[in-house]
Amino acid sequence: MPAARPNAALTADVVALHRSGGVDRVLLVRRGSQPFAGRWALPGGFVDPDEDPQVAALRELAEETGLDLADVALRELGLYGAPGRDPRGRVVSSAWWVRLPEADAPAEVVGGDDAAEASWVPLREVLGGPDQDDDGGGRGQLAFDHAGVLRDALRRDAAAAPARSIAVRFDLPDAAALAAFDALVADVLPGFAADEPGTLTYVVHAVEGEPLARVFFEEYAEGGHAAHEARPATAAFLDRVRELTGGAIRAELLVPVGAVRP
């Protein structure tokens, strides 16, 4: 008779995203019990024996934050089951994500059940690093493996949504080409911003430790990127940049507005 195998517990967690006032936020709860008491985490909890994981995710979200999304279809993110992710034992999480419609203000939330507090937290505070409070509950250090779950959800969100911001890296071959690139950017950027009401900002960053590299960051209002790409001035600008870089436009990354800047 084969030896009995230990069972793994199943939980369901939710990444709820919302944008209001020009700021992207994620819904977090401050844990009221161990493990990780006092730390911020994604809303979630254990799935009942006769319960579907998505139903459990919606139930836990309502119990811990007061946010009722029973009429909203969650999107499945994936399973997270790395050994050691939960100090209580072998626990596998079924993770779900949703982006709520943009509004002037996010829905009101309040901590409930085993959550001491619930809050819509700006993504910059969550992704910006540890930034610990005295009680070890800094928003930049989420409990369990929830930071990785959140980053996976942001990648899904960026892929599913129209581009609102874009970062493109250019590698210049020598100092002369770099100087010409900087001069070109200084000449055209003010005109781009003035000519396109759908554009919020253009920024060019140097890359630390790589003096011949530049990252061109553009942030748009809804629909602004498509309008920008269709402009003859944009095509002329990119043709000139390709000449200067020898075609070395190494990478292109779409990111949610306000989440991560180069």
Side-chain angles (χ1 to χ4, degrees):
M1 182 174 179
R5 293 180 178 273
N7 291 325
L10 180 63
T11 60
D13 297 307
V14 182
V15 180
L17 304 171
H18 184 267
R19 181 172 174 81
S20 63
V23 177
D24 276 301
R25 294 177 169 86
V26 60
L27 180 56
L28 298 179
V29 296
R30 188 190 285 271
R31 291 183 56 80
S33 59
Q34 295 294 350
F36 303 111
R39 288 267 289 275
W40 290 90
L42 298 170
F46 287 97
V47 178
D48 292 338
D50 59 349
E51 193 174 31
D52 181 88
Q54 182 173 192
V55 173
L58 291 167
R59 174 182 57 77
E60 287 287 344
L61 183 67
E63 290 176 356
E64 293 191 343
T65 72
L67 185 63
D68 184 358
L69 296 183
D71 296 329
V72 177
L74 301 180
R75 302 186 187 191
E76 189 170 8
L77 184 59
L79 292 176
Y80 294 81
R85 65 176 296 273
D86 191 319
R88 293 169 293 191
R90 194 75 169 98
V91 179
V92 177
S93 173
S94 172
W96 302 79
W97 71 279
V98 62
R99 175 170 284 280
L100 302 180
E102 187 167 342
D104 293 336
E108 185 175 345
V109 293
V110 60
D113 195 24
D114 55 355
E117 182 181 353
S119 179
W120 288 102
V121 181
L123 282 172
R124 288 182 181 179
E125 293 185 20
V126 184
L127 300 176
D131 193 22
Q132 292 285 356
D133 297 330
D134 292 339
D135 62 357
R139 290 168 168 178
Q141 189 171 353
L142 300 183
F144 305 104
D145 55 358
H146 287 183
V149 177
L150 172 58
R151 290 185 184 278
D152 287 347
L154 289 175
R155 281 190 281 268
R156 291 282 188 89
D157 180 57
R164 294 197 210 163
S165 56
I166 186 171
V168 185
R169 172 168 169 149
F170 303 105
D171 290 282
L172 287 304
D174 51 44
L178 179 69
F181 176 87
D182 287 343
L184 177 66
V185 167
D187 182 53
V188 302
L189 282 194
F192 277 176
D195 291 348
E196 298 176 44
T199 302
L200 300 180
T201 184
Y202 291 97
V203 182
V204 176
H205 297 266
V207 179
E208 185 176 356
E210 299 183 60
L212 295 179
R214 292 288 186 267
V215 172
F216 188 53
F217 182 83
E218 305 163 80
E219 192 170 285
Y220 299 94
E222 202 69 45
H225 185 257
H228 170 69
E229 288 295 297
R231 295 177 67 239
T234 301
F237 170 72
L238 289 176
D239 285 346
R240 177 60 178 142
V241 169
R242 290 189 182 95
E243 291 178 12
L244 293 173
T245 62
I249 302 177
R250 249 179 50 184
E252 183 171 292
L253 172 69
L254 298 179
V255 296
V257 171
V260 182
R261 279 177 171 261

